[in-house]
Amino acid sequence: MKILVTGAAGQLGTAIVDEFGRDHTVVARGRSQLDIADREQVLGLAQDVRPDVIINCAAYNNVDGAEDDPEGALRINAFGVRCVAEAARSVAALLVHYGTDFVFDGEGSRPYLEHDPPNPRSAYAISKLLGEWFARDARRHYLLRVESLFGGRAARSSVDRIITALEAGQQTRVFTDRTVSPSYVRDVASATRALIEGGADLGVYHCVNSGSVTWYELAREVARLLGVEPKLDPVPVAQVILRAARPKYCVLSNEKLLRAGVKMPPWQDALRRYLRERRTRTG
Ligand SMILES: NC(=O)c1ccc[n+]([C@@H]2O[C@H](COP(=O)([O-])OP(=O)(O)OC[C@H]3O[C@@H](n4cnc5c(N)ncnc54)[C@H](OP(=O)(O)O)[C@@H]3O)[C@@H](O)[C@H]2O)c1
């Protein structure tokens, strides 16, 4: 298959390029080569490449920044996706796009299912929900909701911030009352591939590592795996002034993905593999 990857230099983008590059022809475009919000450019590239699949990893992910720059977030997360979906449709390509747990308000008490009603609480979350809707413009599409991504080469996730601080023996602030299902980019990339190659039903899937954890518990597990003292500053979300609202309970259910034959490893296992990957990378 020929796969066009947009936003290819990001956390997930690099993992997608690695995963598909092993057995497929990958055309990778980072932001400097392709602005997904430039309709002519996106449509033109699709005509030149004629991909079987377009995997869109481009996004505006500055959750707090979006409160002051909603136009910037909408340009990429909503209208950029509309351009990519139109391009996919124009060449009859399958579109894969990624959504977020932030489309939910986080007031739930059981893992969110794909059809639970969204209730976005921030400019970022609204822009991502619009992107989900625009992704449907492609005739065939998978929308995979992920959350708390970690593991890209850029190493700029919250998990990386915790690892780096703990390795340096620095105190790090962690939320005690935000519960998440972290997602290792390599596992998300491999699940994406399994869905496509397995010809799973099209539509929305939650795609996170299995299990759930608060940021405080996750940081303690990182410290345990690193064999360092957990120098942590545990705080409830309400104690920290943030521009954008954070959903408190963001656990996503992988049940639908499992029914499609794709099993996600537990987050603890993902974390262990990622720490090993980081060690290999730094030598
Ligand atoms: N990170 C998370 O925790 C998280 C959580 C939930 C959902 N997601 C979703 O998962 C997907 C992958 O996220 P990620 O963590 O891999 O994001 P990322 O590391 O921020 O990568 C996104 C990439 O998109 C690029 N980009 C930004 N604007 C663009 C544009 N107009 N045209 C083309 N490329 C553009 C960025 O370039 P620059 O770096 O130069 O801006 C960056 O390389 C996204 O849909 C994201 O919303 C992520």
Side-chain angles (χ1 to χ4, degrees):
M1 273 189 289
K2 195 190 267 187
I3 320 267
L4 172 60
V5 183
T6 55
Q11 294 194 93
L12 181 58
T14 51
I16 289 284
V17 171
D18 285 351
E19 177 71 44
F20 284 87
R22 286 200 281 274
D23 301 296
H24 296 281
T25 304
V26 171
V27 178
R29 290 290 181 272
R31 181 187 197 148
S32 57
Q33 301 148 313
L34 178 75
D35 173 1
I36 63 157
D38 182 332
R39 181 174 173 273
E40 300 310 317
Q41 212 189 350
V42 179
L43 288 175
L45 181 67
Q47 288 302 328
D48 289 347
V49 174
R50 313 258 350 154
D52 302 294
V53 183
I54 301 181
I55 304 184
N56 178 40
C57 298
Y60 179 112
N61 281 330
N62 183 346
V63 175
D64 290 314
E67 294 298 304
D68 296 321
D69 180 24
E71 201 184 328
L74 286 168
R75 181 178 181 277
I76 300 162
N77 292 344
F79 301 114
V81 178
R82 185 169 65 176
C83 296
V84 179
E86 185 184 349
R89 192 185 178 99
S90 71
V91 293
L94 169 70
L95 172 67
V96 180
H97 178 60
Y98 297 90
T100 170
D101 53 307
F102 273 52
V103 295
F104 298 116
D105 58 22
E107 301 294 326
S109 53
R110 54 131 180 97
Y112 284 100
L113 300 169
E114 285 77 359
H115 57 262
D116 282 331
N119 187 18
R121 293 264 173 98
S122 63
Y124 163 77
I126 290 169
S127 72
K128 289 293 292 179
L129 181 60
L130 281 169
E132 290 193 5
W133 294 344
F134 282 134
R136 296 182 200 154
D137 286 352
R139 195 160 281 134
R140 296 178 298 127
H141 88 290
Y142 289 117
L143 183 283
L144 308 189
R145 290 199 189 115
V146 299
E147 69 170 294
S148 308
L149 277 182
F150 65 97
R153 267 180 238 135
R156 59 184 182 195
S157 67
S158 301
V159 172
D160 285 288
R161 177 184 59 79
I162 290 168
I163 297 171
T164 305
L166 287 171
E167 279 176 338
Q170 288 162 0
Q171 181 102 354
T172 184
R173 191 175 68 187
V174 281
F175 290 128
T176 49
D177 55 353
R178 273 203 75 221
T179 306
V180 296
S181 309
S183 315
Y184 183 27
V185 290
R186 296 215 176 275
D187 292 336
V188 173
S190 132
T192 303
R193 180 172 170 174
L195 282 177
I196 297 172
E197 292 182 351
D201 288 348
L202 300 170
V204 185
Y205 289 85
H206 289 171
C207 179
V208 294
N209 280 112
S210 66
S212 62
V213 64
T214 64
W215 282 106
Y216 174 63
E217 291 160 349
L218 183 139
R220 288 185 61 87
E221 179 65 5
V222 170
R224 193 186 71 77
L225 291 169
L226 290 174
V228 300
E229 187 197 337
K231 275 197 187 172
L232 301 171
D233 175 18
V235 288
V237 177
Q239 248 180 45
V240 182
I241 297 167
L242 295 162
R243 294 282 294 118
R246 299 295 196 276
K248 274 196 175 175
Y249 180 85
C250 289
V251 182
L252 298 183
S253 164
N254 279 328
E255 268 174 41
K256 184 177 172 191
L257 195 64
L258 191 58
R259 284 199 302 276
V262 182
K263 189 170 181 197
M264 294 298 282
W267 66 265
Q268 296 92 331
D269 174 66
L271 193 57
R272 203 173 312 117
R273 281 180 287 126
Y274 178 48
L275 286 173
R276 205 180 313 134
E277 182 187 334
R278 270 179 62 114
R279 275 196 296 275
T280 316
R281 212 185 295 152
T282 54

